[in-house]
Amino acid sequence: GRRLADLVLDVTASDGDARQVERAYLGWSDELREWFGKHPDLLDKALMVAAATITPADETSVYDAALWLARQLEMPVAGGGLAWCPKGELAATLEAERNGNTIVFRRPAYRESVLRHVWDEYPLTRMDLLAWLSRLAIEAAGMETALRHRLAEVFADLAAEHDEAPFITKTAQMWTGQDQLGADLAYIALARTCLHPGVGGRIRNRLYEWSRERRTPQTLKLTVARVCQALGETHTSIALTRLKHLTTYGNEQIQDEVHQVALELAAQHRATVITAAITWCESTHNLSKQDRERRTRAGLRLLCAFLDGEGPPDPHHLQRVLKVLGELAARGRPEIQPMVIHCARKLADRYRADVIATALTWAQTGSGNALYRDVPPQAKTGTELFLALASERDDLGFAALLTGPAAVDPRACTAAWTVALDAEPPPIPSSEQMRAREYRRNDTPYEGFEEVAWLWLDTATAHRDLRPGIVAAFIDAAREDPARSQTVVALARRWAGTNSHRQSVKEDLLVRLLQPAWQRILLNLWVRLLRKLNLRR
């Protein structure tokens, strides 16, 4: 019905009559049978097939295409080409028309009917016709790119219409091994046939196999990714499955291409793509370390892209992303944790309060552990994320986490500081701590921990209203543990040095954490005396 409607529109536009519609719908069978009967010469038939395939085109291109067909069919071309009809007689021989140097067929759908007529009437030439089209599109010299693309379309349509799926995939693979032009031709053929009602299922299966094979050539993988965009407009989940495997077994260029295609699909199928990206992050249990890293990175990158840019936030989407980040953090795989931190920090650019709350929640899962090695992976990741956010400065150079628009109560950060202190080795462990196994050493403490702690202590010095909360956070994180207390004391002393403005904050910490107890009592008395004499603020 669609074909008939198209024919009616074409004929109406060209001022044709109903009889032409009928002939076009029947494939001009009587006219073509009559023409092939009047032209028994094989060279004339080759000219007709070539012209119908590539027109509108100039006469030279028609002869060139006919010569390729003659060679494919092993037809002798006597006289070095003198056996062809002259150029001046070409249009008349083909019952076509000339438009300058161009040969055109005016009758609607006549050109398309020629190949189908030859396919039906001369069955032994079928594979040769497909081979001719596949070679002509990529190998013919001097042919315009637009004409090559049209040949790829003709090849794909003819092969699909006659159930030649293996020939399509074999040719597409051959084309991609040539150059970028070949990759474009392969894309055209695969994109036009992956949804075909006859061969589409087998084309999609071959796309799946290519996406899973590690040794699939790079150019072919890139072509499959491009085809998935056309496939995904109708079968989004099927396309995303192939993209998942491509990004798992592909290099950085493949991953970039997959990312772009997935974003294009998300323009119309946002929820489906988001769900797929979450699944990519979760479905890595049976993969190797390298494959797991690639698939997770692709999923996280896609999820972050949806939360980037303009427009109102999507709370439901944000919570789904944070949930999957939490699950990844809980797994504790070293190759994944940096990506979780990176994605969370990127989300914090727009959803700062939610990310901060998430980091503190993760860190809270580490409370109550006696040794750092027993701290859950999620708490360690949450602490690292917290320190990264806590290191950011406001316009005056103080801790933006405490002074900015999404400021938090310093006391709410106690759990994160506890985990961070546990990762720090105390400066001089006592023999009692060593004997009691209270001394803990971590070979990889959190990078930048001391700088962040000093920033917070500077903020406490400059903001008297924040000082009680900041001091309380450090005290609560360190107390009841001699090693953590010793770490905070040493840190505060290094930070304060001889700076008189910092002494009062340092003393607030030391009067609660200094060990042994008699030193803490003496310091407490000394500080009270000094402050009573107004020598300390």
Side-chain angles (χ1 to χ4, degrees), residues 59-78:
E59 297 100 328
T60 302
S61 297
V62 172
Y63 284 115
D64 191 36
L67 182 59
W68 278 84
L69 179 58
R71 290 170 177 169
Q72 179 66 42
L73 296 173
E74 299 181 355
M75 294 163 45
V77 183

Side-chain angles (χ1 to χ4, degrees), residues 227-404:
V227 173
C228 284
Q229 183 171 344
L231 174 62
E233 294 176 0
T234 302
H235 300 296
T236 310
S237 297
I238 292 176
L240 288 169
T241 298
R242 283 137 189 80
L243 292 175
K244 175 185 67 176
H245 293 304
L246 285 171
T247 199
T248 302
Y249 306 116
N251 60 18
E252 187 173 345
Q253 185 181 8
I254 298 293
Q255 293 169 3
D256 289 342
E257 185 69 26
V258 168
H259 183 71
Q260 292 301 319
V261 171
L263 289 181
E264 291 292 336
L265 293 178
Q268 298 295 328
H269 308 280
R270 183 182 177 87
T272 304
V273 176
I274 292 174
T275 301
I278 292 175
T279 303
W280 292 3
C281 295
E282 296 173 337
S283 60
T284 61
H285 301 284
N286 299 323
L287 298 176
S288 66
K289 177 181 177 181
Q290 188 177 33
D291 295 341
R292 182 168 60 239
E293 181 178 354
R294 281 194 291 258
R295 182 180 292 183
T296 304
R297 181 189 296 113
L300 291 179
R301 182 183 179 189
L302 203 52
L303 291 174
C304 290
F306 291 124
L307 292 170
D308 219 358
E310 303 296 330
D314 184 345
H316 175 65
H317 180 193
L318 174 64
Q319 293 307 314
R320 294 181 70 186
V321 175
L322 292 176
K323 179 181 178 182
V324 75
L325 289 178
E327 293 172 353
L328 292 173
R331 295 180 190 176
R333 294 191 171 123
E335 71 275 12
I336 302 299
Q337 300 312 300
M339 291 185 284
V340 173
I341 296 295
H342 173 76
C343 185
R345 293 197 67 179
K346 187 174 181 181
L347 295 181
D349 294 339
R350 195 174 183 200
Y351 306 94
R352 186 174 180 81
D354 296 277
V355 175
I356 292 171
T358 298
L360 296 177
T361 301
W362 293 354
Q364 189 66 39
T365 62
S367 60
N369 292 278
L371 298 174
Y372 180 75
R373 65 171 177 264
D374 298 327
V375 174
Q378 191 179 65
K380 295 179 180 179
T381 304
T383 300
E384 184 176 350
L385 176 58
F386 162 77
L387 291 174
L389 299 173
S391 67
E392 298 173 358
R393 299 173 180 267
D394 61 17
D395 295 338
L396 298 177
F398 299 113
L401 193 65
L402 303 175
T403 63

Side-chain angles (χ1 to χ4, degrees), residues 441-454:
R441 179 174 293 278
N442 179 42
D443 294 332
T444 56
Y446 290 103
E447 183 179 358
F449 162 78
E450 186 162 296
E451 289 77 6
V452 177
W454 285 15

